[in-house]
Amino acid sequence: MAEPGTRKYVGSAFVSVNREMRERLWKRVQEHAGPPPREMPKRPATQWVKPGIKARVKHLRGEEDLRHASLQDFWDEGT
């Protein structure tokens, strides 16, 4: 997940959506796979996605990075 506007990496999130949405997300990820952000340490088993997808994420407050985050919904920018 990246911060809106700056696209600074802020952490990852668990995918906690229904099967239909999870399949839609996986299709979107496969079609728009991209390189990791510059200067990002290697993260095994991570699938990076090109910018263009927005998400609603539930997480604990008070931290600069995401803590205990879970994906609730997603959509493509401009829709």
Side-chain angles (χ1 to χ4, degrees), residues 68-79:
H68 302 285
S70 60
L71 178 74
Q72 303 292 303
D73 193 9
F74 74 95
W75 59 95
D76 284 314
E77 283 183 324
T79 60

Side-chain angles (χ1 to χ4, degrees), residues 40-61:
M40 184 72 195
K42 288 191 176 195
R43 296 179 61 97
T46 299
Q47 177 62 64
W48 298 99
V49 181
K50 294 175 187 171
I53 191 169
K54 291 203 171 204
R56 183 168 54 91
V57 178
K58 183 177 178 181
H59 63 91
L60 296 178
R61 294 181 186 200

Side-chain angles (χ1 to χ4, degrees), residues 23-43:
E23 288 172 359
R24 202 176 94 227
L25 175 62
W26 182 240
K27 180 179 178 189
R28 197 314 183 165
V29 167
Q30 289 177 319
E31 291 172 352
H32 296 89
R38 279 188 230 139
E39 301 178 19
M40 184 72 195
K42 288 191 176 195
R43 296 179 61 97

